[in-house]
Every structure is written in structure tokens, then in C-alpha cells.
Amino acid sequence: MGWNWSNPFKEVANSKPLFLTVYGTVLTGIIFSAIYVFSAVYSPDSALSWSLSQHAAPFSSNQTLNSPSLRLGGGGVMAPGPRPETGELKPIWKAPPPGSKMPPLETFRLTKELVQERVKDNVIVATFGNYAFMDFILTWVKHLTDLGVENLLVGAMDTKLLEALYWKGVPVFDMGSHMSTIDVGWGSPTFHKMGREKVMLIDSMLPFGFELLMCDTDMVWLKNPLPYLARYHEADVLTSTDQVTPTVTDDRLDNWQQVGGAYNIGIFHWRPTDSAKRLAKEWNELLLADDKVWDQNGFNDLVHKQLGPPVDDESGLVYAYDGTLKLGLLPASIFCSGHTYFVQAMYKQLRLEPYAVHTTFQYAGTEGKRHRLREAMVFYDPPEYYDSPGGFLTFKPSIPKSLLLDGEHSLQTHFALVNYQIKQIRTALAIATVLNRTLVMPPMWCRLDRLWFPHPGVLIGSMTRQPFICPLDHVFEVHTMLKALPVEEFGPGISIREYSFFDNPLMPAQVKDSWLDVQLCQEGSENCQSNITNTAAVLRFPRRSNEETLERVFSPLKDVKVIQFSSMQDAFLRFTDKTREEKFRKRVKQYVGIWCCVEHDPGHIYYDMYWDEKPDWKPLPPQTPEEDHPHW
């Protein structure tokens, strides 16, 4: 892709991974509406100070923001100071010269003049986060710069992120949040305080006179959105939504009269009009006056004070808020949510080109978000991600047609399909831990959608096709799979990769060229259990082998990067080491999650990694509170 990976990703590659139980991104926490309660995340609070008197007053267009809890700064590689807009921006990814010193923190404070350093056509594109989401931010910036969009700024909520971005040549400003460098908890006091910082930032930047495209770091840009936004030059605010059914079949704005989903503040564009400034100011004051109001709910409440009439017969804009604000709803088919993109693939079915995907409607917190973006091959990882030292294990999943297509799409047929795949993946996890290889997960097929409320299998009116390849977090607890569980209790960890791993253009040729196919055979048959070490050959390996046989046959093949089994049906019999097996079972039992929901209290149904050991197993929700727990 013509990008020097060693520069922007050096710090991420060398940092320790943050494996938290279930955690969500800073920006996800800021934007999710109440429908996302399934994405529970955890994190310690950070020291965010709040001063109502300092933030309630409006700012003049040339005023520096001096509040200790919103001491915003910019600059990165830019020199602060007034400059007329020339259309030429200093290049991104150009690191400061060797031997340079880190400028004083005051250099990165936000002023109109400093923002103007990155403005083009009077537009600035902004996001913010903390160091825990450095890789999300680098991915966000990389997609924009690949699209030729460089009029961007990143707000740093901690000095560690600010310094890291500065040395990578990414334009950055100081949010002055003094925030922890780790993930924040969804629904926690810190979570709500962060939402307020976002609103204060909008309220503070609009008086500068620039158009502001504010978005979260848990989304990526797939197409330059600025020409699309410019089409609706009369709009004061354009916002994304949580709409899951199409209201238009082309690239027009969604029909505001038919949109029932919440207006999602993860992607929205503000013009510095009087009505937009009034909305931002009132929104900010609303949140400062009541710390129980959620930022997204507050936005929705305000803009719905008045909704209608339409601005005209053609644009799709509607008068909202105080009757003067011109509001437009970005089409959910191309400004995609996690549902319209990953589950429905609405844009494909409508033959449209998506502008963005936002990792909403998902599970397993931040790790689930990363995995979804990786499955879509739109997340940028450092080179070592694609060349694990121990090599990779993969297999060709085998699913009978009857499990995929026959009969009605029901709880019974859904669980029969998923359980069949779980058993194969369980075998693959066992072989991966024996061979100390990273398992490339297969695509998961589902018959039913997963949501957080009772539903008939798919959302009525949506474009979800059955069966469909569902995100891994629909079935597996991705965050648990990647968590560092104690080895003495759960045995060694098992690394995983996404099903699209070998299709990713970032996959180095030397990995894909070092490949060995393994065909299962009947023990005792001709050429079964050959010890071929030539990677161009096919190794025939006996079914129902134990770990001792696996280790003996494959130990000479440690230099082979990829080992692909033709099947996982009866590929592994059992561990002969009972202690090893006990630890493995204890680990993988925690890897599967729930399906949700049916009309029952509770309505969720737990997946069971060892469902096949229970002849009477049925897909039923817990019948009593005592039964409401995972199968471990």
C-alpha cells in the first residue's frame, strides 16, 4: 500500500497488549445509544475534573480554551499561529527530524489559528481517544490519508497518546483530560464524563467558523465522504443513525419520516451556522446540568423537540430542534452501522459503495470491534501480526447442506448448525494448543441474528439473508479468547486470527508460500502418517490421533508457516495427559457466549462447547435463576 509500516506502527507493535475482560472503546462509549447495553465494558475511572462555570460560557472565535478539564491543543507536526488557508497542508506520517525534542504541552492547545493549520475547503475532520486505542486511531488516520483526506486532527485524552502521535507525524491536539491510558467502562462515571468532553469540544470548535466532521475511532472511512457532505450544503447537521431497515435504495439521505432508529453521534457533520451553534450550546449545557443524561440521548431529545416539516421537496432535509435547524440523516446503507455492514451487507445488496463502517451492534467489547474490522480486512495491524513465530493452523470447514439450508430457520436448526461448527473449532483449538500454532478461525455460519431483545430470528424489514456468515462475536466471546487467563489454571493461551486472514493484501508472500496441506486418512491405510517435510507435498495424517502423535509427526515441520487440515472431523481423539485436558476444557468452555433472545425471562440461550457430551441437550433458555449461568 506504499506506506512505511515501521514508522507509524512501531510503538503499537512494541507495546504490551491490553487484555481486559470485556471492554469498549473510548469513542464507542461516547456514541452508543441505550440500545447498546449488551456491550458492557470495564475500566478504572480516570481523574476528569469538571467545572460548570468554566464551560457554560460561550467562546469567541479567537479565544484559547484554558479550562483545566478541556485544555485542548493541536499542532503535532504543525507550528501554531495564524495562517491564511492556502489549500496546502503539511504532510501526515512525516515524523519530526531525528534528535528533535518534544515541544512543550502548551504547543498543542487548541485555538482557531491552530485548527486552521489543518483546514481545507473550510472543513476539519476530527476524532479523539486515549492511548488504549492507538491502533484504532492509526487505522482511522491511515484510511483517510489513503483517500486523500489530510485535513484532520486527533484529540489526545492523555499525554502518552499525544506524544506517540506527534512522533509518528499525526496532527494531534491536547484534550487536557488527564485521562488514564487504558480502556474506559461502558456506563461508568468516566464513560459519561467522556461523552461530555466530546460535546464540549463541538461547542467550542464551532465558533471557530469551520465545518466539523466529528467521528469516533471505532469506525473507518472507506470512501472520501467530503464530496457527499458537500452535496447537502444547506444542512446545519448531518448525522448517522441506528436505522436497520432501508428507507431509500440509492445514495440519497434516509427518509426522516421512516427512520425509527436513534440518531447516532458516532459520525456527524456540523456547519458553523447560528442554529447549529445554538444546538451545540444547549446540548453542552444540558449535560453539564445533569450528569445522568447520556450524551447521545440528550442529542436525540433536543433534535426531536421539533421534527418537521421538510425543508423542501428534494433534499431530504428536515427542520428540527428549534424549527430552524436543517437536519439530514445519512443513509444507513452506505454510512454503515455494525448491523447494516457486517450482518446485512445492505450496501452490497443495493449495489452501493459504502463510505464508512462503524462497529456498533456488536459484542465482546473492544476486542470484538477489532476482530470485526479485521474480518472485513479494514484494520491495519503491524507486520508481525501476519507472521506469528509459531506459525498458523487452519482447516477447511465441512458443513452438510441440510444444516445450512434445509427446514425452517428456527432455534433448533440454528443451534444444530452452530453446534456442528463449534465441535470442529473445539478440535482445531486442541490441535493448535498441542502444536503451539495460531488458529485461523473459519467463517461462522448462522441462521438467526443475535440481538439484545426478543426477535423472530431476523429483524423484520431488514435485508438480512438466511443463512449468513455472522461475526465471530455472535457466537464466541472474542474478548475471553484473547484474554491472558492464568496458565496454571487454564493451560497455555491459544492465539486466533480472523477467517479472512489469508486473503488480506497485507499477508506477506513468504507466509503463504510456506504451506502444507494435511489430508486425514484411516490409520493403517497406505501412506497414512507419512513424515513428509516437503512443503510442496501433502501429508496424510491418521484420524483420531492424540497429542503425542501430533507432536511426533509435526515437530519436524515447525518451520512450515501454515498447516491446513482438510477437515477437523475426528482429527483429534483426546489428550493422554489428563491434567492438560482438564485445563484445556476449562479454558475453551469460556470461549462461547449466548444467543439472544426469545420471549422468556431470561430469553438468552447459552452455547455449550461440549454440547455433544449431553445427549439431552436442547436450545432452551434458563428455566430458573439457578440455571442462568454459562456451562462452566
Side-chain angles (χ1 to χ4, degrees), residues 118-371:
R118 299 308 308 179
V119 167
K120 183 177 181 180
D121 298 328
N122 207 48
V123 178
I124 189 71
V125 186
T127 191
F128 68 103
N130 70 344
Y131 186 78
F133 305 101
M134 177 79 164
D135 51 352
F136 281 91
I137 292 168
L138 293 177
T139 293
W140 185 87
V141 174
K142 177 66 168 59
H143 275 281
L144 284 174
T145 55
D146 279 355
L147 293 167
V149 179
E150 298 202 345
N151 48 321
L152 60 88
L153 279 170
V154 177
M157 301 190 79
D158 59 71
T159 55
K160 187 175 182 180
L161 175 65
L162 188 147
E163 293 178 0
L165 292 178
Y166 171 79
W167 290 115
K168 290 170 180 11
V170 175
V172 60
F173 61 91
D174 179 22
M175 295 283 291
S177 307
H178 308 296
M179 184 180 169
S180 168
T181 59
I182 63 175
D183 204 345
V184 299
W186 190 96
S188 69
T190 303
F191 164 85
H192 290 291
K193 290 177 181 178
M194 286 176 54
R196 284 151 174 75
E197 287 220 7
K198 180 179 184 178
V199 181
M200 285 189 287
L201 176 58
I202 295 169
D203 183 36
S204 303
M205 289 184 71
L206 283 180
F208 292 167
F210 308 124
E211 295 181 27
L212 174 63
L213 175 55
M214 175 65 73
C215 39
D216 290 356
T217 56
D218 66 331
M219 56 79 62
V220 297
W221 291 106
L222 307 173
K223 186 177 179 181
N224 182 356
L226 300 182
Y228 183 93
L229 301 175
R231 283 165 50 181
Y232 300 97
H233 55 86
E234 293 187 3
D236 299 306
V237 176
L238 295 165
T239 182
S240 59
T241 74
D242 293 329
Q243 182 69 12
V244 293
T245 60
T247 69
V248 294
T249 57
D250 52 22
D251 67 348
R252 290 175 298 164
L253 293 175
D254 262 331
N255 187 328
W256 60 271
Q257 293 173 308
Q258 298 178 26
V259 170
Y263 300 166
N264 189 298
I265 62 174
I267 306 172
F268 59 168
H269 179 257
W270 294 69
R271 287 192 170 87
T273 61
D274 290 341
S275 55
K277 292 175 186 175
R278 284 196 299 272
L279 172 60
K281 183 176 185 296
E282 185 173 352
W283 187 19
N284 186 27
E285 292 174 345
L286 172 67
L287 299 180
L288 289 171
D290 187 349
D291 60 8
K292 294 182 175 59
V293 177
W294 195 357
D295 57 332
Q296 182 163 281
N297 288 349
F299 176 82
N300 276 265
D301 290 343
L302 288 173
V303 295
H304 280 90
K305 277 181 163 182
Q306 176 178 330
L307 194 62
V311 173
D312 52 51
D313 295 332
E314 299 295 330
S315 68
L317 299 175
V318 60
Y319 286 110
Y321 174 50
D322 60 0
T324 67
L325 183 86
K326 298 173 184 176
L327 177 70
L329 307 182
L330 297 170
S333 58
I334 51 180
F335 290 84
C336 308
S337 68
H339 200 278
T340 61
Y341 189 90
F342 297 111
V343 177
Q344 298 186 50
M346 187 186 291
Y347 71 94
K348 287 184 180 179
Q349 299 192 63
L350 295 176
R351 300 294 190 267
L352 300 173
E353 294 183 16
Y355 282 89
V357 55
H358 187 193
T359 52
T360 56
F361 288 87
Q362 59 82 219
Y363 309 88
T366 306
E367 295 295 355
K369 295 174 187 294
R370 283 192 183 92
H371 199 85

Side-chain angles (χ1 to χ4, degrees), residues 509-541:
Q510 67 266 24
V511 174
K512 295 182 72 172
D513 291 344
S514 179
W515 192 288
L516 176 65
D517 285 311
V518 177
Q519 288 186 353
L520 297 180
C521 55
Q522 185 64 39
E523 186 175 9
S525 62
E526 185 178 0
N527 296 327
C528 199
Q529 198 173 322
S530 174
N531 290 310
I532 297 175
T533 59
N534 183 352
T535 58
V538 174
L539 173 63
R540 289 172 55 79
F541 183 74

Side-chain angles (χ1 to χ4, degrees), residues 473-485:
D473 60 60
H474 272 211
V475 176
F476 283 84
E477 300 286 78
V478 177
H479 59 287
T480 302
M481 300 179 81
L482 299 177
K483 183 182 177 182
L485 298 173

Side-chain angles (χ1 to χ4, degrees), residues 78-99:
M78 303 90 68
R83 171 183 65 85
E85 185 177 341
T86 63
E88 297 180 1
L89 302 176
K90 291 188 178 181
I92 297 177
W93 303 121
K94 185 177 180 180

Side-chain angles (χ1 to χ4, degrees), residues 435-502:
L435 302 183
N436 193 27
R437 286 181 174 266
T438 296
L439 176 62
V440 179
M441 299 292 287
M444 287 293 304
W445 284 91
C446 293
R447 283 181 175 250
L448 303 183
D449 197 356
R450 176 181 176 179
L451 295 157
W452 52 97
F453 52 83
H455 62 95
V458 298
L459 289 171
I460 296 174
S462 72
M463 299 184 72
T464 305
R465 292 181 172 182
Q466 295 172 282
F468 64 99
I469 294 179
C470 52
L472 189 66
D473 60 60
H474 272 211
V475 176
F476 283 84
E477 300 286 78
V478 177
H479 59 287
T480 302
M481 300 179 81
L482 299 177
K483 183 182 177 182
L485 298 173
V487 175
E488 60 274 10
E489 184 177 358
F490 298 95
I494 307 169
S495 298
I496 63 168
R497 295 291 187 269
E498 62 280 6
Y499 71 82
S500 58
F501 185 66
F502 294 118

Side-chain angles (χ1 to χ4, degrees), residues 393 395-399 417-433 439-445 470 472 475-476 481 494-497 499 567-572 584 588 591-592 609-611:
L393 173 71
F395 69 96
K396 296 179 179 180
S398 174
I399 304 174
L417 171 62
V418 172
N419 282 347
Y420 191 87
Q421 297 170 87
I422 285 176
K423 185 177 179 181
Q424 294 183 51
I425 292 171
R426 185 184 75 202
T427 299
L429 288 166
I431 295 176
T433 192
L439 176 62
V440 179
M441 299 292 287
M444 287 293 304
W445 284 91
C470 52
L472 189 66
V475 176
F476 283 84
M481 300 179 81
I494 307 169
S495 298
I496 63 168
R497 295 291 187 269
Y499 71 82
S567 172
M568 280 294 162
Q569 296 285 3
D570 298 322
F572 181 71
F584 172 80
V588 300
Y591 281 6
V592 289
M609 184 65 85
Y610 288 91
W611 62 273

Side-chain angles (χ1 to χ4, degrees), residues 59-65 82 110-113 116 204 207-209:
F59 294 91
S60 67
S61 60
N62 291 301
Q63 185 176 355
T64 300
L65 308 184
L110 185 71
T111 63
K112 175 181 178 179
E113 293 78 14
Q116 194 167 18
S204 303
F208 292 167

